[in-house]
Amino acid sequence: PFTFVHGDLTDRAALDDLFGEVQFDQVIHLAARAGVRPSLAEPALYQRVNVEGTVNVLEAARLTGIKKLIIASSSSVYGVNSKLPFSETDPIFHPISPYAASKLACEALGHVYQHVYGMDVAMLRFFTVYGPRQRPDLAIYKFAKLITAGKPIPVFGDGSTQRDYTFVADIIDGIMACTTRKLGYEVFNLGESQTVRLDYLIELLEKALGQKAVIDRQPLQPGDVPITYADISKAQRMLGYAPRVKIEQGIPRFVEWFRRAHGV
């Protein structure tokens, strides 16, 4: 059975109550303030929800004897990484947004709880997750909405920025693989392991929607990285992770859901 409890991670007492009521086997912690650009406007809020919220989850787990946690990190921790593709062994001390800094802190906390309290902690660096029920503030959803409304889409830069887009079903496979393995403390990239240029992404959306996009060119945004690209060899080796959905199949699948959800 599934139970939805409406609450706030920064409300320590509410978390303690929940963990006191239900005997959890393990915790998959995916809740956070997400997004690079909004974090530039509210840095303190991002640290409070993401860092303090994660400590509260870790503490609630520790106090109730839960030994296994899977925690969402982000490809943004790599910052402007000159080495491609991004590997879990790369140095990551140059985050360029408050969001990235908050996720870096969460990884450090996960390491501490494994080291000091013997917890089993997997940190998953997600690479631009997309698909049905996607966050409405992300490019694919936002673009689809504007294109269908005949409104201009804001394109930051010349369209050459690249992202490693990962279909949500592949991400779920990676998360579920962690639930059945004893890992100690491990960090995994969960990406598609291929990069997609922004202008190509827009082309795929136009094709799937059957409409041309009106482009509104904007300067590149501070905090945005030029490219994300996952080395997934560690996840393949240790988790049997094997992403199956290429962007050419994923975008039409997203659009199909988008049409249903919006009655387009």
Side-chain angles (χ1 to χ4, degrees), residues 20 42 55-56 74 85 88 90 92 111 125 140 158 163-164 207 222 242 255:
E42 299 184 283
V55 173
N56 289 345
S74 163
E88 293 90 348
D90 293 348
I92 49 163
H111 187 270
R125 292 177 183 165
I140 293 172
D158 61 1
R163 292 286 175 272
D164 192 336
K207 202 167 140 193
V255 166

Side-chain angles (χ1 to χ4, degrees), residues 99-112:
Y99 172 66
S102 75
K103 287 298 184 179
L104 202 52
C106 291
E107 290 193 7
L109 285 163
H111 187 270
V112 168

Side-chain angles (χ1 to χ4, degrees), residues 95-150:
I96 60 166
S97 69
Y99 172 66
S102 75
K103 287 298 184 179
L104 202 52
C106 291
E107 290 193 7
L109 285 163
H111 187 270
V112 168
Y113 274 74
Q114 192 280 324
H115 183 77
V116 179
Y117 306 114
M119 288 177 164
D120 197 76
V121 181
M123 302 290 321
L124 304 181
R125 292 177 183 165
F126 297 148
F127 282 70
T128 317
V129 187
Y130 76 101
R133 297 181 185 80
Q134 180 170 8
R135 267 175 38 217
D137 60 312
L138 286 178
I140 293 172
Y141 193 118
K142 197 163 71 178
F143 288 178
K145 212 167 170 188
L146 291 168
I147 292 169
T148 49

Side-chain angles (χ1 to χ4, degrees), residues 56-115:
N56 289 345
V57 171
L58 285 160
E59 272 297 273
R62 179 178 76 84
L63 295 170
T64 50
I66 296 163
K67 283 296 189 196
K68 186 166 185 63
L69 290 103
I70 295 159
I71 301 175
S73 184
S74 163
S75 61
S76 67
V77 300
Y78 288 108
V80 183
N81 193 335
S82 56
K83 184 190 134 302
L84 294 170
F86 302 171
S87 161
E88 293 90 348
T89 54
D90 293 348
I92 49 163
F93 302 112
H94 304 289
I96 60 166
S97 69
Y99 172 66
S102 75
K103 287 298 184 179
L104 202 52
C106 291
E107 290 193 7
L109 285 163
H111 187 270
V112 168
Y113 274 74
Q114 192 280 324
H115 183 77

Side-chain angles (χ1 to χ4, degrees), residues 140 143-144 147 201-210 251 255:
I140 293 172
F143 288 178
I147 292 169
L201 177 78
I202 294 164
E203 245 176 77
L204 289 173
L205 270 169
E206 289 175 326
K207 202 167 140 193
L209 290 162
I251 292 295
V255 166

Side-chain angles (χ1 to χ4, degrees), residues 143 151-155 157 202 206 212-218:
F143 288 178
K151 292 179 178 166
I153 61 171
V155 173
I202 294 164
E206 289 175 326
K212 290 298 279 180
V214 181
I215 308 288
D216 170 22
R217 293 248 174 249
Q218 304 263 344

